[in-house]
Amino acid sequence: DGGITQSPKYLFRKEGQNVTLSCEQNLNHDAMYWYRQDPGQGLRLIYYSQIVNDFQKGDIAEGYSVSREKKESFPLTVTSAQKNPTAFYLCASSIGQGANTGELFFGEGSRLTVL
Amino acid sequence: AQSVSQHNHHVILSEAASLELGCNYSYGGTVNLFWYVQYPGQHLQLLLKYFSGDPLVKGIKGFEAEFIKSKFSFNLRKPSVQWSDTAEYFCAVTGHAAKIIFGKGTRLHILP
């Protein structure tokens, strides 16, 4: 089945620790995205990547880092510099070009709790 | 910069009532517009989309939305809601490159 796989589903970390969230897609999509979902805040864009080895900051990139070494993978690292890391993180992908830009396919999400 | 504003944060309706959820966007160029829905415990999924052409677009489950360029709006409508429409609804816009921006969402609660 084609889709987006995020892992882990739940993650706990202590303050001061970095943590990496995995996102893999087998849809052959060019574009991948990371959003953060908080109650009442909607989805806020952290980083996005339109092509391998290239990515752009979204609206709330501070305290996060990403890499895009392979088309199918777009891991997100939540660093200790992120002041409020406890949140629900969503990864998504899109064909990423032409008229279909914007139709996103989402993973199940990863819930990070900082203790 | 792109932005999306959803006016209603929480809407409560009875079954069979008509629904309209407001969405306004800010972007000066050509846009693609979307409504996504998140049912309780489920993934976000696409409800409908506007790329070009007829400004009145129809989506799944009887939903429709109208793109009014002069008002920078893309309101979601449904003539008669059902209890199963209880969900959170998100408006989204993409303009510049592949950057996709979402509104804060509207929680819809349908009373049986």
Side-chain angles (χ1 to χ4, degrees), chain A residues 5-109:
Chain A
T5 302
Q6 288 186 242
S7 64
K9 196 169 182 177
Y10 300 96
L11 185 61
F12 298 88
R13 77 150 212 226
K14 295 181 180 179
E15 279 192 28
Q17 290 180 333
N18 293 355
V19 63
T20 297
L21 307 180
S22 170
C23 179
E24 304 278 329
Q25 56 103 354
N26 60 6
L27 300 168
N28 199 32
H29 285 171
D30 287 317
M32 296 187 74
Y33 303 80
W34 275 104
Y35 290 91
R36 170 178 172 147
Q37 187 176 16
D38 297 283
Q41 295 290 319
L43 277 71
R44 291 182 289 170
L45 183 62
I46 304 173
Y47 269 97
Y48 64 107
S49 168
Q50 294 176 258
I51 197 168
V52 174
N53 292 323
D54 188 38
F55 48 83
Q56 289 78 40
K57 292 182 179 180
D59 297 323
I60 57 165
E62 186 175 350
Y64 299 99
S65 65
V66 292
S67 62
R68 188 84 188 278
E69 297 176 2
K70 299 186 294 182
K71 186 175 185 178
E72 59 271 23
S73 178
F74 191 43
L76 173 74
T77 297
V78 185
T79 76
S80 56
Q82 168 49 233
K83 295 179 180 178
N84 295 298
T86 294
F88 188 59
Y89 292 88
L90 281 166
C91 180
S93 71
S94 169
I95 292 176
Q97 52 190 315
N100 288 323
T101 298
E103 185 169 350
L104 293 171
F105 294 78
F106 285 89
E108 290 188 338

Side-chain angles (χ1 to χ4, degrees), chain B residues 84-101:
Chain B
S84 58
D85 293 324
T86 294
E88 190 161 14
Y89 294 80
F90 296 92
C91 182
V93 60
T94 180
H96 173 66
K99 186 177 182 181
I100 302 165
I101 300 299

Side-chain angles (χ1 to χ4, degrees), chain B residues 21-96:
Chain B
L21 301 182
C23 173
N24 285 90
Y25 67 92
S26 172
Y27 184 72
T30 302
V31 292
N32 293 339
L33 295 157
F34 307 83
W35 277 96
Y36 287 85
V37 60
Q38 189 172 33
Y39 297 104
Q42 295 187 26
H43 291 199
L44 270 155
Q45 58 184 282
L46 183 68
L47 197 55
L48 48 77
K49 61 189 177 186
Y50 171 80
F51 288 151
S52 63
D54 188 345
L56 183 63
V57 293
K58 296 192 183 296
I60 60 172
K61 303 187 180 184
F63 285 91
E64 64 179 31
E66 185 175 12
F67 171 48
I68 303 179
K69 190 175 181 180
S70 61
K71 295 185 178 180
F72 297 91
S73 71
F74 191 56
N75 292 355
L76 180 70
R77 301 194 292 247
K78 185 170 183 177
S80 176
V81 294
Q82 299 172 308
W83 178 79
S84 58
D85 293 324
T86 294
E88 190 161 14
Y89 294 80
F90 296 92
C91 182
V93 60
T94 180
H96 173 66

